[in-house]
């Protein structure tokens, strides 16, 4: 009888003493400590870059024939950045290119910036990037979506994945 | 001419051109019109001594005997009368045999009579790319293969580093994009390399079907109102990303230079569509058209150093008649180039040096391939393929001088770089780097 009482006392003690602590919450959001682009360290091949660029600007895949021609074109010009700029600016003259309207961009700059980062970099902008771009676009009302897309397309991050 | 006299003349030409007024076109860049300028012709895909300098036409190749089958088919470059029988290298007449009408000469005086011909020069090897590397670097260290840049600095890199030249002052105009030709505009040497590379252009592609389709209608943005903003945003984005890559974008031009090149490309497409490219009178092969576009580059940029590569002669592997045709046309191209510089580019007339040198020769004995005339073709793999020549013309260069002979070879393929360096006044600096072949000297030092 004494033994049973001891066991019951032990069970009751364990059950009452093993309550899980509630986690303490301080209202902080979890966030990455590295920039979202830090893992992009592989350079795209010209073919990869052009394929992605084409999709970004025309929202369809580039044809194989066009891809081959563009790769040859890139090899025919020594300054590759210049060659890319020529190709991009030629795309911008193409009636099929799909760009946001100027008014839509101005109506919601935050969303435009978010969408542009996602489109070209496949990531959201950091707070710093969001603020800088917003300020820059607000202070330069003559900047069109075309110029923004151009800048993103020729920026370093667009050449890496 | 004594060396001292040559140097005096070069210096005088340099000073004269520096003080002469130069024309400004609409571009924002100040144009570098001051001499000396160098146009180097990589001539032209494996040229056999027998059909070029030795002027043997069909005698030393197809076993045809008699003076009618001997003669000079490069009369813009070399002195000497043409063959009189079995003419196949010309253009097709309205009636008569194909190729039987030689292309009329362009120069009233051959380049040989205006300059100095080194008749028997030694090439380093028998491959196109290794030969071109030696021409560009002055080094015979060419153990790297295709798809690799030269290991030693090119003349462009020496010139840009020691003369502080802009990228647009040095150009390599390629006959195409095959055979690693686009890699010849700079080496991968750690002390030189891409930062001192030349602009490269392959007109048959840039202005060919590919260019027509993909860059002909490229916008030229306003340099301040549009491009300035684009580059500002790009700078911010790049700073945020902050990456380094060895060969990320090829050579780099400044923003102003890039704008200038874009304008040049746009203008050249206009000219092409108007049929106004400065092509030679006959322009029925790729080499001739490449030289036409080279003239446009010279006229627009007035580069300090321009190298143009031709290689249509390489059809000699399987068609001897085509080889002769293309050799004749390569001479036509050089004649046109020289004439265009002297008559159409005032900033370069009288202060430009032209150097032509094959990358290698061709075999003594033929292979077994017969062409439409039952003539045998020639590859390039034996000792005869290491026999080449070099021709130099320009202010201060001895006129009508021949140096060396079949029995007395004088000169080496690696001499070309030091010759150009001497003209530019940087020879001692180039030698000081110790990266050219140990037996290389300036051709002027061999006179």
């Amino acid at each position: 009888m004494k033994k049973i009482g001891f066991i019951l006392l032990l069970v009751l003690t364990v059950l009452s003493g093993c309550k899980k602590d509630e986690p303490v919450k301080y209202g902080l959001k979890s966030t990455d400590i590295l920039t979202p682009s830090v893992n992009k360290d592989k350079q795209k091949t010209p073919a990869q870059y052009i394929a992605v660029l084409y999709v970004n600007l025309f929202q369809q895949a580039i044809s194989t024939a066009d891809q081959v021609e563009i790769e040859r074109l890139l090899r025919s010009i020594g300054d590759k950045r210049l060659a890319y700029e020529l190709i991009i600016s030629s795309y911008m003259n193409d009636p099929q290119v799909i760009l946001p309207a100027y008014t839509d961009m101005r109506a919601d700059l935050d969303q435009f910036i978010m969408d542009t980062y996602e489109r070209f970099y496949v990531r959201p902008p950091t707070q710093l990037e969001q603020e800088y771009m917003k300020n820059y676009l607000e202070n330069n009302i003559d900047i069109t979506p075309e110029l923004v897309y151009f800048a993103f397309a020729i920026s370093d991050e667009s050449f890496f994945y | 001419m004594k060396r001292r006299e040559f140097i005096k003349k070069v210096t005088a030409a340099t000073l004269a051109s520096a003080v002469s007024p130069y024309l400004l076109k609409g571009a924002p860049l100040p144009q570098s019109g001051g001499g000396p300028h160098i146009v180097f012709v990589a001539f032209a895909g494996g040229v056999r001594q027998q059909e070029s300098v030795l002027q043997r036409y069909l005698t030393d190749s197809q076993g045809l005997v008699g003076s009618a089958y001997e003669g000079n088919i490069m009369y813009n470059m070399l002195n000497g009368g043409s063959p009189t029988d079995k003419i196949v290298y010309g253009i097709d007449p309205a009636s008569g045999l194909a190729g039987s009408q030689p292309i009329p000469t362009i120069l009233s005086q051959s380049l040989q009579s205006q300059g100095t011909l080194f008749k028997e020069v030694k090439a380093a090897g028998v491959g196109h790319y290794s030969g071109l590397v030696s021409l560009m670097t002055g080094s015979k260290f060419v153990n790297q293969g295709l798809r690799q840049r030269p290991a030693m600095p090119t003349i462009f890199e020496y010139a840009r580093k020691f003369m502080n030249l802009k990228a647009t002052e040095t150009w390599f105009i390629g006959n195409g994009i095959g055979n690693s030709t686009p890699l010849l505009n700079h080496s991968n040497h750690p002390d030189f390399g891409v930062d001192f590379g030349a602009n490269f252009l392959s007109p048959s592609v840039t202005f060919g079907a590919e260019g027509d389709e993909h860059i002909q209608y490229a916008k030229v943005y306003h340099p301040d109102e549009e491009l300035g903003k684009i580059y500002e945003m790009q700078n911010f984005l790049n700073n945020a990303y902050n990456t380094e890559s060895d060969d990320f974008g090829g050579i780099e031009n400044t923003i102003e230079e890039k704008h200038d090149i874009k304008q040049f490309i746009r203008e050249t497409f206009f000219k092409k569509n108007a049929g106004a490219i400065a092509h030679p009178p006959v322009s029925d092969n790729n080499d001739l058209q490449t030289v036409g576009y080279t003239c446009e580059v010279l006229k627009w940029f007035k580069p300090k150093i321009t190298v143009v590569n031709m290689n249509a002669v390489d059809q000699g592997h399987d068609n001897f008649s085509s080889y002769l045709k293309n050799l004749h046309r390569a001479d036509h191209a050089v004649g046109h180039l020289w004439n265009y510089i002297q008559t159409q580019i005032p900033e370069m007339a009288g202060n430009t040096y032209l150097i032509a040198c094959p990358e290698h020769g061709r075999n003594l004995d033929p292979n077994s391939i017969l062409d439409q005339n039952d003539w045998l073709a020639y590859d390039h793999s034996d000792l005869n393929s290491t026999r080449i020549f070099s021709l130099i013309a320009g202010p201060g260069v001895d006129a009508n001088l021949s140096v060396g002979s079949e029995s007395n070879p004088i000169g080496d393929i690696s001499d070309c770089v030091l010759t150009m360096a001497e003209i530019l006044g940087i020879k001692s600096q180039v030698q000081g780097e110790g990266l050219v072949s140990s037996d290389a000297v300036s051709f002027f030092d061999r006179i």
Side-chain angles (χ1 to χ4, degrees):
Chain A
M1 190 63 190
K2 217 173 182 182
K3 206 172 186 179
I4 293 169
F6 176 74
I7 291 169
L8 277 173
L9 183 66
L10 187 65
V11 168
L12 284 171
T13 306
V14 167
L15 288 176
S16 64
C18 286
K19 267 193 176 170
K20 197 176 177 184
D21 285 340
E22 286 297 316
V24 178
K25 292 183 179 175
Y26 295 101
L28 296 177
K29 289 181 186 172
S30 65
T31 185
D32 294 328
I33 58 171
L34 298 172
T35 59
S37 61
V38 73
N39 291 323
K40 288 186 187 173
D41 55 359
K42 297 183 189 71
Q43 194 170 336
K44 292 174 188 169
T45 64
Q48 288 170 327
Y49 172 81
I50 288 297
V52 173
L53 174 75
Y54 197 89
V55 169
N56 282 338
L57 296 182
F58 295 97
Q59 295 182 14
Q60 60 177 306
I62 189 171
S63 71
T64 307
D66 280 351
Q67 179 126 10
V68 170
E69 283 185 347
I70 288 174
E71 283 181 67
R72 287 174 55 78
L73 196 53
L74 285 168
R75 288 167 61 197
S76 79
I77 298 173
D79 185 335
K80 305 304 175 200
R81 292 246 192 208
L82 171 72
Y84 284 120
E85 286 183 26
L86 287 166
I87 292 164
I88 296 164
S89 61
S90 184
Y91 284 164
M92 294 302 184
N93 246 357
D94 190 321
Q96 304 297 319
V97 71
I98 299 171
L99 299 170
Y102 176 83
T103 48
D104 291 345
M105 175 181 92
R106 292 288 163 188
D108 190 348
L109 281 177
D110 281 326
Q111 190 61 48
F112 171 77
I113 293 163
M114 183 77 74
D115 292 345
T116 305
Y117 269 84
E118 287 287 357
R119 174 174 293 228
F120 285 93
Y121 293 170
V122 201
R123 67 171 177 84
T126 62
Q127 197 64 31
L128 173 71
E129 289 168 333
Q130 179 85 27
E131 288 303 315
Y132 174 89
M133 290 302 295
K134 189 175 180 183
N135 283 339
Y136 190 80
L137 295 176
E138 282 174 345
N139 292 330
N140 293 275
I141 54 163
D142 52 339
I143 291 182
T144 61
E146 176 182 333
L147 300 188
V148 178
Y149 272 29
F150 198 115
F152 272 80
I154 60 169
S155 67
D156 289 348
E157 192 172 340
S158 288
F159 289 85
F160 286 81
Y161 68 97
Chain B
M1 180 192 293
K2 297 272 189 297
R3 271 189 48 73
R4 185 173 297 173
E5 198 180 337
F6 166 76
I7 291 167
K8 270 164 75 178
K9 285 187 179 179
V10 169
T11 308
T14 306
L15 288 174
S17 62
V19 297
S20 65
Y22 46 70
L23 301 175
L24 284 173
K25 59 180 191 289
L29 286 179
Q31 297 300 303
S32 52
H37 301 90
I38 295 173
V39 176
F40 184 92
V41 182
F43 188 95
V47 176
R48 211 162 165 259
Q49 285 287 87
Q50 284 80 356
E51 287 77 46
S52 54
V53 166
L54 298 177
Q55 302 184 6
R56 306 287 287 163
Y57 192 44
L58 299 171
T59 308
D60 276 349
S61 58
Q62 309 304 330
L64 295 170
V65 180
S67 60
Y69 308 120
E70 298 176 8
N72 178 20
I73 65 171
M74 296 168 51
Y75 36 66
N76 286 292
M77 294 171 70
L78 305 174
N79 298 334
S82 305
T84 53
D85 202 1
K86 292 193 183 294
I87 308 302
V88 299
Y89 51 81
I91 51 177
D92 299 343
S95 61
L97 294 174
S100 61
Q101 190 174 318
I103 302 172
T105 186
I106 292 176
L107 302 178
S108 56
Q109 277 190 301
S110 74
L111 283 166
Q112 180 182 356
S113 65
Q114 296 182 49
T116 299
L117 173 67
F118 288 79
K119 295 182 83 167
E120 190 77 26
V121 173
K122 190 159 173 44
V126 294
H128 296 293
Y129 190 66
S130 61
L132 290 170
V133 168
S134 293
L135 288 174
M136 295 291 92
T137 65
S139 166
K140 289 181 269 192
F141 176 73
V142 287
N143 64 348
Q144 75 273 26
L146 288 170
R147 293 192 171 191
Q148 288 185 39
R149 290 192 178 276
M152 299 300 171
T154 61
I155 184 63
F156 305 120
E157 293 156 76
Y158 288 125
R160 285 199 63 197
K161 186 167 187 176
F162 298 137
M163 299 172 72
N164 200 25
L165 299 182
K166 297 178 299 185
T168 45
E169 291 181 292
T170 55
W171 284 85
F172 187 103
I173 312 297
N175 59 297
I177 56 172
N179 291 326
S180 296
T181 305
L183 303 183
L184 289 166
N185 62 334
H186 67 81
S187 72
N188 58 15
H189 193 280
D191 298 335
F192 292 85
V194 65
D195 291 344
F196 302 100
N199 270 294
F200 174 82
L201 199 61
S202 174
S204 61
V205 178
T206 310
F207 299 108
E210 296 89 343
D212 281 347
E213 183 68 24
H214 299 288
I215 59 169
Q216 179 172 198
Y217 301 109
K219 281 185 180 178
V220 176
Y221 290 102
H222 190 283
D224 299 323
E225 291 168 13
E226 295 175 311
L227 264 184
K229 303 276 171 63
I230 288 172
Y231 290 142
E232 271 183 24
M233 287 186 279
Q234 183 200 14
N235 276 340
F236 168 75
L237 297 169
N238 287 350
N239 286 335
Y241 185 57
N242 195 22
T243 188
E244 291 289 334
S245 180
D246 285 336
D247 194 15
F248 182 47
I251 72 140
E252 270 191 59
N253 292 281
T254 63
I255 289 173
E256 291 78 12
E257 286 178 294
K258 278 202 286 193
H259 184 66
D260 199 26
I261 295 171
K262 286 174 187 172
Q263 286 190 312
F264 165 73
I265 288 176
R266 185 170 68 162
E267 188 70 25
T268 304
F269 271 114
F270 287 151
K271 279 190 170 181
K272 180 195 165 190
N273 294 335
I277 297 294
H279 287 317
V282 174
S283 56
D284 59 3
N285 76 6
N286 184 53
D287 283 350
L288 290 160
Q289 290 178 21
T290 300
V291 163
Y293 285 105
T294 303
C295 290
E296 298 294 343
V297 169
L298 295 176
K299 179 131 181 132
W300 188 280
F301 296 101
K302 286 97 185 170
K304 280 281 185 190
I305 307 175
T306 308
V307 175
V308 55
N309 180 40
M310 300 193 282
N311 88 331
V313 163
D314 202 32
Q315 285 195 347
H317 281 294
D318 56 17
N319 191 309
F320 194 77
S321 300
S322 293
Y323 161 78
L324 294 172
K325 273 189 164 187
N326 289 327
L327 184 57
H328 188 57
R329 279 154 180 73
D331 167 81
H332 183 61
V334 172
H336 174 71
L337 194 56
W338 186 245
N339 184 57
Y340 190 83
I341 292 166
Q342 301 306 327
T343 61
Q344 303 298 317
I345 313 177
E347 300 89 339
M348 293 180 71
N351 62 29
T352 297
Y353 294 79
L354 187 142
I355 303 172
C357 187
E359 73 268 41
H360 58 66
R362 301 194 92 83
N363 287 355
L364 185 63
D365 297 318
N367 59 31
S368 58
I369 301 174
L370 288 168
D371 67 13
Q372 65 272 29
N373 292 310
D374 281 343
W375 293 342
L376 290 161
Y378 286 78
D379 300 319
H380 41 89
S381 57
D382 69 4
L383 200 59
N384 195 66
S385 299
T386 63
R387 298 175 60 193
I388 56 172
F389 67 90
S390 184
L391 179 60
I392 309 168
V397 178
D398 275 334
N400 212 18
L401 177 68
S402 287
V403 180
S405 65
E406 242 180 308
S407 57
N408 180 30
I410 296 176
D412 189 276
I413 191 168
S414 57
D415 294 348
C416 293
V417 160
L418 285 181
T419 306
M420 289 188 269
E422 179 159 1
I423 291 167
L424 295 170
I426 56 171
K427 187 175 80 171
S428 59
Q429 288 155 289
V430 173
Q431 285 173 316
E433 294 293 320
L435 299 173
V436 297
S437 179
S438 58
D439 57 348
V441 297
S442 163
F443 276 117
F444 298 119
D445 290 331
R446 296 199 187 268
I447 297 173

